[in-house]
Amino acid sequence: MDQTRAPRMTNGGRLSVTRHPGLALAAVAAVGIAAVVQYKRSELTRNEKAQKNSPEHPNFYVSVDRSGGGI
């Protein structure tokens, strides 16, 4: 083993959060954004199923394309 590198490998070669706070912050932000997107997607699906299966107005359900395109 190279003697000049030996003192630097005290943490087993893993990335340290204290040495890379920007990377840790970016990872936390990416996980948070992914969680919000997943929650919103499931919320839209849940709401659409609830409207489609509503006993109050069963014949008035119209599925809406959310792509932004019009008629």
Side-chain angles (χ1 to χ4, degrees):
M1 178 183 255
D2 192 306
Q3 295 299 324
T4 58
R5 293 184 59 187
R8 295 176 65 195
M9 295 184 67
T10 58
N11 65 355
R14 294 176 298 193
L15 290 176
S16 174
V17 174
T18 58
R19 293 180 75 182
H20 303 284
L23 181 62
L25 183 63
V28 169
V31 169
I33 290 171
V36 167
V37 168
Q38 178 67 26
Y39 176 76
K40 284 296 192 180
R41 182 174 32 192
S42 66
E43 182 182 29
L44 285 172
T45 303
R46 200 169 43 244
N47 286 344
E48 188 164 333
K49 285 181 182 178
Q51 289 176 5
K52 187 176 184 179
N53 298 328
S54 174
E56 299 169 2
H57 306 288
N59 297 326
F60 299 116
Y61 173 77
V62 177
S63 180
V64 177
D65 183 21
R66 292 187 177 93
S67 67
I71 296 175

